[in-house]
């Protein structure tokens, strides 16, 4: 993308309404634009990151054996009356009446709908286990939408739903998702710690929240220091096979949210290993048995022909919230520092002197060598403004090209995260950038 033709609006001033750094930076870097309270339009750069984050989520769900579907945002109220949640859900649910006076709603989650779909087709124990997921917009009429996409009203969620013949099967599905979640967040450069959690309005008896430590987090969390050193991608590089060792490992140390905090267990941990922090919930998994399958009439015939009510779980990831969480975890005073895996573009090519034949030619060559992975700052701005924008947006690499280096065919590469600078011939610069894209 050439910046002279692109729609990448950055803001110099810090927007007054933004209270936390990720919100400020998302507005200033031109990732999002608020259209009503808690509702955002995604601008080109924000959309690219949202897609990259979604794709990692998708790959790990597929690897764990879940299958992608796409359910609608608008749901009929009847489904929620069947489960008994229509009245319980309260004001967070956006209720809609269509022209025929039918009660509809904008889905805050999809347990009812997926159970209804699945029950049409699942007839026998051979149709189990199955896990279906989608990545779809949700609406929750939050009383206090704030912090940008961290707590929006409309937000993108990945939600998966597992169906199993018995409790042991459901626990295995839960463990698979548990591992998939650890891997998903680790691939985005985040350390998300699974913590015992309350089940809230989803209901059920087993639940973990995946939480990223950050000062701006909304909940207080308690954990054993060792958890911060665990690395799931090293422990289980393929992400296939029995997930139990990974789950056992990560649940062998204390970690709990405020609501589930057990003071006696906490006091048993040596003081130097106790970490009390604030955290951001990026994922939440639940095993809730027959809470939906039973009232909604999902039954299959078991191996001996008797009817069985499948055991279910649900598994959510806050896809749009993740962008804010990644920025909370990776920024400095100049702007965002994207991890390679989710950066909107790998590299910004900064032409320090558009119009200089050698600089123009070298920039064009580099730009052509990185299709779809580079933005080319060919604007007639001064160098300082180009550096500031590139730092603000946080491309992992900046390729700085001016007349002097260009005359020798040399590209100056700056690594955004470390500030490290390298002077390299074109091919080596390209190889270096490509190696980080993976
Ligand atoms: P919270 O406690 O933060 O309100 P929740 O427990 O109600 O979230 P879940 O039903 O567990 O949320 O939803 C799954 C995931 O969706 C959460 O882990 C979170 O990452 C994300 N999420 C939930 N509510 C919002 C929101 N209002 N804005 C953005 N993301 C959200
Ligand atoms: Mg939750």
């Amino acid at each position: 993308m050439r910046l002279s033709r692109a729609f990448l609006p950055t803001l110099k001033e810090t927007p007054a309404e933004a209270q936390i750094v990720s919100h400020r930076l998302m507005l200033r870097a031109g990732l999002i634009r608020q259209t009503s309270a808690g509702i955002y339009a995604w601008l080109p750069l924000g959309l690219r990151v949202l897609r990259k984050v979604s794709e990692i989520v998708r790959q790990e769900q597929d690897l764990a054996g879940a299958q992608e579907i796409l359910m609608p945002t608008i749901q009929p109220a009847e489904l929620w009356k069947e489960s008994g949640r229509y009245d319980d859900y309260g004001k967070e649910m956006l209720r809609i009446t269509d022209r025929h006076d039918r009660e509809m709603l904008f889905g805050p989650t999809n347990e009812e709908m997926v159970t209804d779909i699945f029950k049409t087709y699942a007839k026998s124990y051979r149709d189990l286990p199955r896990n279906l997921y989608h990545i779809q917009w949700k609406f929750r009429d939050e009383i206090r939408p704030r912090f940008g996409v961290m707590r929006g009203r409309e937000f993108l969620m990945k939600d998966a739903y597992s169906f199993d013949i018995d409790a042991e099967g459901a626990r295995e599905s839960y463990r698979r998702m548990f591992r998939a979640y650890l891997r998903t967040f680790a691939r985005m450069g985040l350390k998300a710690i699974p913590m015992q959690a309350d089940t809230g309005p989803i209901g059920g008896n087993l639940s973990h929240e995946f939480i990223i430590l950050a000062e701006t987090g909304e909940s207080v969390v308690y954990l054993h220091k060792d958890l911060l050193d665990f690395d799931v991608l090293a422990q289980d590089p393929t992400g296939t096979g029995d997930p139990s060792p990974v789950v056992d490992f990560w649940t062998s140390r204390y970690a709990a949210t405020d609501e589930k905090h057990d003071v006696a267990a906490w006091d048993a941990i040596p003081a130097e290993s106790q970490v009390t922090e604030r955290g951001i919930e990026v994922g939440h998994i639940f095993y809730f048995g027959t809470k939906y399958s039973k009232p909604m009439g999902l039954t299959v015939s078991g191996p001996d022909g008797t009817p069985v009510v499948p055991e279910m779980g649900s598994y959510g990831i806050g896809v749009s919230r993740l962008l804010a969480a990644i920025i909370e975890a990776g920024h400095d005073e100049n702007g965002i520092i994207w991890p390679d895996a989710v950066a909107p573009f790998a590299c910004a090519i900064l032409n320090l002197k558009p119009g200089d034949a050698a600089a123009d030619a070298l920039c064009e060559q580099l730009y052509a060598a990185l299709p779809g992975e580079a933005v080319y700052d060919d604007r007639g701005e001064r160098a300082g403004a180009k550096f500031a924008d590139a730092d603000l947006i946080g491309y992992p690499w900046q390729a700085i090209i001016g007349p002097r280096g260009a005359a020798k065919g040399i590209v100056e590469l700056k690594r955004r995260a470390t500030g490290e600078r390298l002077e390299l011939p074109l091919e080596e610069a390209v190889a270096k950038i490509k190696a980080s894209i993976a």
Side-chain angles (χ1 to χ4, degrees):
M1 185 159 35
R2 288 170 200 273
L3 284 196
S4 59
R5 309 247 185 96
F7 182 62
L8 295 190
T10 56
L11 301 176
K12 290 212 173 48
E13 282 79 44
T14 299
E17 76 270 24
Q19 298 166 38
I20 62 170
V21 66
S22 57
H23 189 196
R24 281 199 290 274
L25 289 172
M26 288 185 83
L27 293 171
R28 281 194 56 211
L31 305 182
I32 53 168
R33 161 84 188 161
Q34 181 172 303
T35 60
S36 344
I39 304 181
Y40 292 85
W42 294 80
L43 305 183
L45 283 179
L47 182 59
R48 283 183 73 96
V49 181
L50 194 64
R51 289 217 174 110
K52 290 199 171 180
V53 167
S54 302
E55 190 50 31
I56 292 175
V57 170
R58 182 174 284 123
Q59 286 170 4
E60 292 297 329
Q61 292 294 294
D62 292 348
L63 182 68
Q67 261 185 295
E68 188 171 11
I69 58 175
L70 183 57
M71 291 179 271
T73 53
I74 305 294
Q75 306 186 17
E78 289 98 79
L79 288 178
W80 289 68
K81 290 181 178 164
E82 280 180 40
S83 72
R85 275 208 295 184
Y86 192 61
D87 295 325
D88 296 354
Y89 219 91
K91 291 199 159 173
E92 285 209 353
M93 180 184 277
L94 180 64
R95 295 157 206 259
I96 304 165
T97 309
D98 74 9
R99 67 197 296 165
H100 304 294
D101 273 337
R102 277 187 290 249
E103 292 174 292
M104 313 290 285
L105 57 101
F106 196 124
T109 178
N110 283 62
E111 280 80 7
E112 285 80 357
M113 183 171 278
V114 76
T115 304
D116 186 61
I117 292 170
F118 192 67
K119 83 175 179 199
T120 311
Y121 306 104
K123 299 296 172 207
S124 124
Y125 68 95
R126 286 185 217 89
D127 297 322
L128 302 175
R130 293 290 186 275
N131 188 326
L132 302 176
Y133 76 96
H134 72 163
I135 300 176
Q136 178 63 291
W137 295 94
K138 305 291 186 292
F139 195 94
R140 295 183 184 174
D141 204 353
E142 300 271 355
I143 186 163
R144 270 211 300 158
R146 57 186 183 148
F147 302 159
V149 298
M150 190 79 91
R151 181 167 297 286
R153 293 198 296 164
E154 189 184 52
F155 59 96
L156 190 60
M157 194 204 286
K158 184 285 299 180
D159 36 326
Y161 302 90
S162 63
F163 301 88
D164 279 274
I165 192 71
D166 57 17
E168 188 32 51
R171 284 176 186 278
E172 175 65 10
S173 296
Y174 187 92
R175 288 192 286 268
R176 288 192 170 277
M177 282 292 126
F178 190 106
R179 172 175 58 188
Y181 274 41
L182 286 173
R183 292 177 51 85
T184 300
F185 302 126
R187 285 183 57 191
M188 296 171 193
L190 293 173
K191 180 127 282 172
I193 313 284
M195 308 204 182
Q196 293 174 48
D198 256 354
T199 52
I202 307 277
N205 29 31
L206 177 61
S207 174
H208 284 86
E209 284 178 359
F210 288 74
I211 294 196
I212 283 157
L213 304 187
E215 281 163 27
T216 47
E218 291 184 293
S219 38
V220 176
V221 296
Y222 302 85
L223 64 146
H224 193 293
K225 189 161 78 56
D226 287 358
L227 287 163
L228 297 171
D229 300 325
F230 291 176
D231 176 2
V232 69
L233 299 176
Q235 281 165 357
D236 186 350
T238 64
T240 54
D242 182 6
S244 299
V246 166
V247 176
D248 292 347
F249 200 76
W250 285 77
T251 51
S252 66
R253 303 288 195 286
Y254 187 85
T257 58
D258 215 3
E259 302 93 49
K260 284 277 181 178
H261 188 45
D262 172 350
V263 178
W266 179 245
D267 287 344
I269 301 170
E272 67 273 16
S273 295
Q274 293 178 340
V275 177
T276 310
E277 258 264 37
R278 302 191 75 82
I280 300 168
E281 178 192 329
V282 289
H284 197 165
I285 62 178
F286 305 85
Y287 161 47
F288 44 70
T290 60
K291 181 172 165 33
Y292 301 93
S293 43
K294 197 164 173 201
M296 297 189 69
L298 165 60
T299 51
V300 299
S301 62
D304 60 0
T306 56
V308 181
V309 180
E311 297 270 325
M312 292 176 59
S314 75
Y315 315 89
I317 290 182
V319 175
S320 47
R321 177 180 288 183
L322 269 170
L323 273 78
I326 291 168
I327 295 171
E328 289 292 327
H331 66 269
D332 63 15
E333 63 283 2
N334 298 322
I336 302 169
I337 302 175
W338 290 113
D340 292 312
V342 301
F345 290 91
C347 181
I349 302 167
L350 310 182
N351 188 343
L352 300 189
K353 195 151 193 227
D356 177 88
D360 288 354
L362 192 58
C363 285
E364 291 290 347
Q365 274 178 288
L366 181 57
Y367 184 54
L370 296 169
E373 281 299 346
V375 297
Y376 175 17
D377 195 344
D378 57 344
R379 298 173 301 170
E381 299 274 344
R382 52 193 180 81
K386 296 188 177 187
F387 293 139
D389 270 359
D391 277 352
L392 171 62
I393 291 169
Y395 310 101
W397 296 101
Q398 294 170 19
I400 301 158
I401 297 179
R404 230 177 322 130
K408 293 180 283 178
I410 294 292
V411 175
E412 181 182 349
L413 274 191
K414 178 181 142 184
R415 186 72 169 154
R416 175 68 177 89
T418 59
E420 182 196 359
R421 284 168 193 269
L422 301 162
E423 296 204 343
L424 298 172
L426 181 71
E427 296 73 40
E428 285 178 40
V430 170
K432 190 96 193 157
I433 294 164
K434 285 198 165 158
S436 69
I437 297 171

